[in-house]
Amino acid sequence: MKTEKNKPLEKIIRRKTHSVNVGDVLIGGDACISVQSMTNTLTPDIVSTLNQIETIKNAGADIVRVSCPDSDSTKALKTISRKSILPIVADIHFHYKRAIEAAESGAACLRINPGNIGSIDRVKEVIKAAKNNNCSIRIGVNAGSLEKNILEKYKEPTADALVESALYHASLLHDNDFHNFKISVKASDIFLTISAYEKLADKIDVPFHIGITEAGGKRAGTVKSSIGLGYLLLKGIGDTIRVSLSADPAEEVKVAFDLLKTLGIRNRGVKVISCPSCSRQQFDVISTVNEIEEKLGHINTPVTVSIIGCVVNGPGEAKRVDIGLTGGGKDTHQIYISGIASHRLINKNIVDHVVDLVENHVQEINKTKSTLIEKPQLTA
């Protein structure tokens, strides 16, 4: 995307879709891109599952997926759905009866894997259960579990194979007058995933759940997901996302929001701009940033903070953020507030001082918002 000097990138234009609902969360249409993760507790362990859902919610997730591999899980789902603070997507892989049970147990959405769910008649029964219980569906096509006939046709998972599977099952839902569904066409290979989503986007206006499946551990999976999902989002493709990591589910949510913040799509919480540190640094930048991010992890209000170890780039970065810190030498550092040099920090705890400034800044923002909401509207 070319830009003239000093002009920002063009705003991302999202692909036009109709909207579907997952509980009270809208997906597609004009709705913001939602973030989701998945519990990794044993679903019949209701207390552990609900506790993890709360942790995922606190990280910022809008939706949570819960695995339902057996009848004990769908029985537990009745209590989990009733008590959950997030809408539940029931993850169904093999037995269609689990999907029916999950819909009846209060799931807001059913994630079904077309390659594993069974015959057309079984899919129709799932559709009926979804209709009867105001439940949406995600057609979850995966390169690792394509239908036998499609694999025989294409010989291996390809973008065209993923798209054919998705369109076939979308036609089944349409033919049965069911339109409250979204689609995913995932693979662990980013090029295969990207190609499948791009091809599918030209053929159907259904909202997309995007992700790179089985992306890997926290570091490698973050890089892999950022490349794949970042590319799709820049192309305007994607209505709800999950970053799939072999890590704590809350970390998936944090990475997803970092990705969305970086692209300027959805801002939540504190964004830290920091230098990599070098011999010019006037304080330990790495440990300072780690502590600040940890202590400000509870904040939802968008705030930008710069932590720069010296005066080479520090003042310039600080002029564009809410709270800035620049190393000045001899235990004296410059603090910026709203881009303006405010005061010097001398022989004080850097972390606690910056945390206090950010929290005070957030309080002022929230106070202003509250005043605007309560202020009576003038009439002509």
Side-chain angles (χ1 to χ4, degrees):
M1 200 183 301
K2 294 182 179 179
T3 60
E4 295 179 24
K5 188 176 181 180
N6 296 328
K7 286 193 175 181
L9 292 173
E10 295 176 13
K11 184 179 179 181
I12 296 170
I13 301 174
R14 279 178 62 190
R15 164 179 163 265
K16 297 294 184 182
T17 74
H18 66 268
S19 62
V20 304
N21 68 286
V22 177
D24 59 359
V25 177
L26 284 179
I27 309 294
D30 294 326
C32 69
I33 296 172
S34 59
V35 172
Q36 55 185 278
S37 184
M38 184 174 180
T39 58
N40 58 19
T41 55
L42 292 175
T43 304
D45 185 346
I46 294 172
V47 173
S48 295
T49 301
L50 285 170
N51 285 341
Q52 191 171 70
I53 289 172
E54 184 175 1
T55 300
I56 291 169
K57 164 66 175 175
N58 290 340
D62 306 291
I63 300 166
V64 66
R65 184 150 48 113
V66 175
S67 182
C68 293
D70 49 44
S71 58
D72 286 342
S73 297
T74 52
K75 287 176 184 175
L77 195 67
K78 184 169 289 188
T79 300
I80 293 169
S81 296
R82 189 176 70 252
K83 294 186 176 183
S84 174
I85 53 180
L86 290 175
I88 302 289
V89 177
D91 194 62
I92 312 298
H93 272 279
F94 289 102
H95 210 302
Y96 76 104
K97 286 188 176 179
R98 300 293 85 80
I100 296 170
E101 292 164 0
E104 293 173 346
S105 293
C109 180
L110 305 174
R111 186 273 187 181
I112 60 172
N113 188 318
N116 294 337
I117 203 68
S119 66
I120 293 175
D121 288 339
R122 289 180 174 181
V123 173
K124 287 181 177 179
E125 288 193 51
V126 173
I127 294 171
K128 182 180 178 182
K131 280 185 177 181
N132 291 342
N133 293 279
N134 191 29
C135 192
S136 59
I137 288 176
R138 169 157 73 97
I139 298 172
V141 180
N142 195 298
S145 55
L146 283 167
E147 301 94 309
K148 184 178 178 182
N149 65 309
I150 288 182
L151 275 178
E152 288 175 350
K153 176 180 178 179
Y154 291 95
K155 309 305 180 188
E156 64 180 353
T158 65
D160 288 332
L162 292 171
V163 170
E164 183 171 323
S165 175
L167 290 176
Y168 170 69
H169 286 86
S171 70
L172 285 181
L173 270 59
H174 280 140
D175 290 346
N176 285 273
D177 195 29
F178 189 87
H179 309 284
N180 192 24
F181 70 93
K182 55 188 185 292
I183 298 176
S184 64
V185 280
K186 294 184 181 182
S188 58
D189 181 276
I190 64 169
F191 299 104
L192 175 55
T193 302
I194 287 170
S195 180
Y197 277 112
E198 287 184 319
K199 287 174 180 284
L200 188 61
D202 289 334
K203 298 179 182 296
I204 196 167
D205 70 347
V206 171
F208 288 167
H209 167 116
I210 62 171
I212 307 297
T213 194
E214 292 125 15
K218 183 177 176 180
R219 184 184 65 187
T222 295
V223 172
K224 194 173 186 180
S225 295
S226 297
I227 294 170
L229 299 185
Y231 178 91
L232 288 171
L233 290 167
L234 281 169
K235 298 276 284 188
I237 296 173
D239 304 286
T240 180
I241 69 171
R242 180 195 176 190
V243 176
S244 298
L245 303 175
S246 300
D248 188 303
E251 292 300 319
E252 296 184 343
V253 180
K254 294 174 185 177
V255 171
F257 272 105
D258 283 341
L259 176 56
L260 293 176
K261 280 191 289 188
T262 301
L263 294 174
I265 293 173
R266 187 175 174 190
N267 291 320
R268 180 187 186 278
V270 178
K271 177 181 178 181
V272 177
I273 296 169
S274 61
C275 64
S277 81
C278 68
S279 61
R280 297 193 306 269
Q281 67 180 359
Q282 301 299 318
F283 58 90
D284 187 340
V285 172
I286 293 174
S287 65
T288 299
V289 170
N290 286 338
E291 283 189 69
I292 286 173
E293 288 185 329
E294 179 68 26
K295 291 189 175 184
L296 295 176
H298 63 286
I299 290 177
N300 299 329
T301 305
V303 180
T304 305
V305 177
S306 67
I307 306 294
I308 308 296
C310 75
V311 296
V312 174
N313 294 320
E317 293 291 352
K319 289 177 182 178
R320 301 185 295 165
V321 301
D322 299 302
I323 305 296
L325 167 67
T326 298
K330 296 183 179 179
D331 294 322
T332 301
H333 312 297
Q334 182 66 51
I335 296 293
Y336 295 77
I337 297 177
S338 298
I340 300 172
S342 172
H343 58 275
R344 291 187 178 277
L345 185 64
I346 303 173
N347 294 322
K348 289 186 179 180
N349 186 298
I350 293 174
V351 172
D352 289 345
H353 190 72
V354 171
V355 168
D356 287 343
L357 288 173
V358 172
E359 290 182 336
N360 289 336
H361 182 72
V362 169
Q363 287 178 7
E364 289 300 317
I365 290 174
N366 292 336
K367 189 186 300 182
T368 301
K369 285 182 179 178
S370 178
T371 301
L372 290 174
I373 291 171
E374 293 173 2
K375 185 176 181 181
Q377 297 296 311
L378 297 176
T379 57

